[in-house]
Amino acid sequence: MKKILALLALLLLTSCSSGGPSTPQEQETLTIGLTYIPDVQFAPVYVAEANGYFADAGLDITIRHHGAQESLFGAIQAGEEDIVFAGGDEMMQARSTGVDIVNWATMYQTYPVALIVKADSDINSAADLEGKSVGLPGPYGENYFALLAMIDEYGLEDVDINYIGYTQTTALATDSVDAIIGFSNNDVVAMRHAGIDVVELPLVEGRLPLIGVGLGSMADHLDPETLAKVVEALEQGTRNATADPEAALDITRSYVPSLADPEQRELAAQVLDATLELYSGGQSFGHQDVQLWAQMSEFMEDAELLETPVAAEDAYTLAVLDYRTNNSL
């Protein structure tokens, strides 16, 4: 009897010292909105999900791709998304219309838009566009913002601007326009893959007063601890995709079935490589450039891209990255 009582006492002591029976960690449920159809450019997100980096951080993530006609910030406003993957400049513009969106990490440390011309063109810089034609999808988004920055930089007055939808490759190949404004990690890669010899030219001297793709949430859903875990998982996904791009393409294929075709996979590999380069160059993963945010606020107001002025500090926060820096995740 004494042995039994001693055993029960030991079990009770063990239970008390360990805080009771162990239970699985409760996961935070989040939906990430990717503002485009499934594409290899989102490979870091796909890799983080497939390899369990979100789950390891205590996150239950749903990946949601936007429809072609869907409003960029409609779903996050409606509460259907917790995080949106979009340009910092697009978020600032949305804030000017009353959307209470806040950017909390910048993914693309290099703005991905460039002036693209054929290699045999007599256009050697953006200044040479005077009297020439340039094509871009329309008067919206990052291509358009970059166009306005270029015009302002060089004081261009006689540029024939053509809104050509997403036909940049055909328009340039057939000489329908003299140049296009497109994405370095997509349009340039696709053109070269199609056998068109093109050159990328900077749109301005120095850096554009614009901030590229990042992560944003509504102001009342900014929990630094939870969102810092998202950054941690995405950095792991980005590192993994960089170290093993073939595995990243295998994972992406479950979202983009066309990658089963060898030629499409080859093109996707080139897009992936160019995209991963955009993530590098910051002081840290997700780095927020405070000075650039201020420059962008001033530029977008001067270019009449904002319905109402937006102070830079209202459009972004350092809280998430600071939490990650100061806490072991």
Side-chain angles (χ1 to χ4, degrees):
M1 177 62 72
K2 290 181 179 180
K3 289 182 178 181
I4 293 174
L5 291 175
L7 179 59
L8 289 172
L10 179 61
L11 289 173
L12 179 61
L13 179 62
T14 302
S15 175
C16 291
S17 64
S18 64
S22 61
T23 57
Q25 180 183 3
E26 185 176 347
Q27 291 191 315
E28 183 78 19
T29 300
L30 297 172
T31 296
I32 297 180
L34 303 180
T35 50
Y36 191 60
I37 60 174
D39 190 89
V40 71
Q41 296 174 66
F42 298 129
V45 182
Y46 302 151
V47 170
E49 172 64 13
N51 287 346
Y53 300 147
F54 290 125
D56 291 344
L59 303 172
D60 179 8
I61 295 292
T62 296
I63 296 173
R64 181 182 181 275
H65 293 89
H66 286 196
Q69 304 302 318
E70 184 174 336
S71 169
L72 193 61
F73 300 105
I76 199 165
Q77 281 185 280
E80 297 171 10
E81 296 172 355
D82 303 287
I83 300 166
V84 68
F85 195 85
D89 41 20
E90 293 171 318
M91 294 188 211
M92 180 169 280
Q93 187 179 59
R95 280 199 69 82
S96 78
T97 68
V99 181
D100 200 11
I101 188 83
V102 178
N103 179 295
W104 43 268
T106 299
M107 295 292 98
Y108 287 5
Q109 293 296 315
T110 302
Y111 200 77
V113 177
L115 181 66
I116 305 168
V117 299
K118 285 184 175 180
D120 59 2
S121 170
D122 60 357
I123 299 173
N124 298 306
S125 79
D128 296 331
L129 273 179
E130 199 72 70
K132 305 283 189 180
S133 60
V134 61
L136 65 156
Y140 50 80
E142 292 162 306
N143 306 69
Y144 183 63
F145 302 157
L147 168 74
L148 297 184
M150 178 190 71
I151 290 173
D152 179 66
E153 171 82 7
Y154 290 99
L156 299 172
E157 297 179 352
D158 182 24
V159 178
D160 180 17
I161 300 170
N162 289 251
Y163 298 128
I164 56 177
Y166 296 97
T167 64
Q168 293 102 312
T169 298
T170 301
L172 193 63
T174 59
D175 297 316
S176 298
V177 293
D178 298 305
I180 67 164
I181 293 179
F183 288 90
S184 59
N185 65 322
N186 188 348
D187 297 314
V188 171
V189 174
M191 289 178 190
R192 288 175 176 159
H193 187 77
I196 306 170
D197 192 7
V198 296
V199 175
E200 292 178 72
L201 300 174
L203 288 153
V204 301
E205 294 183 10
R207 62 181 183 176
L208 282 160
L210 297 166
I211 291 174
V213 168
L215 301 172
S217 297
M218 300 299 283
D220 58 357
H221 282 75
L222 288 172
D223 174 35
E225 180 178 4
T226 298
L227 299 180
K229 293 175 181 178
V230 174
V231 176
E232 178 76 16
L234 285 176
E235 182 172 17
Q236 288 181 281
T238 304
R239 285 201 306 261
N240 186 286
T242 303
D244 193 350
E246 289 302 317
L249 290 171
D250 289 340
I251 290 170
T252 301
R253 180 177 166 179
S254 65
Y255 294 88
V256 188
S258 62
L259 296 191
D261 177 80
E263 184 174 350
Q264 289 299 313
R265 185 180 175 106
E266 179 185 353
L267 173 58
Q270 296 169 11
V271 172
L272 175 60
D273 182 61
T275 300
L276 291 172
E277 287 184 15
L278 300 175
Y279 280 79
S280 63
Q283 295 178 17
S284 60
F285 188 81
H287 174 67
Q288 297 278 48
D289 189 324
V290 173
Q291 183 180 5
L292 190 56
W293 274 101
Q295 291 173 349
M296 183 171 73
S297 173
E298 181 179 355
F299 164 72
M300 293 188 76
E301 182 177 354
D302 290 345
E304 299 182 350
L305 291 168
L306 305 177
E307 289 192 14
T308 57
V310 177
E313 56 270 23
D314 293 337
Y316 76 93
T317 180
L318 299 176
V320 174
L321 300 182
D322 286 347
Y323 183 92
R324 187 184 179 210
T325 298
N326 298 324
N327 295 272
S328 178
L329 299 177

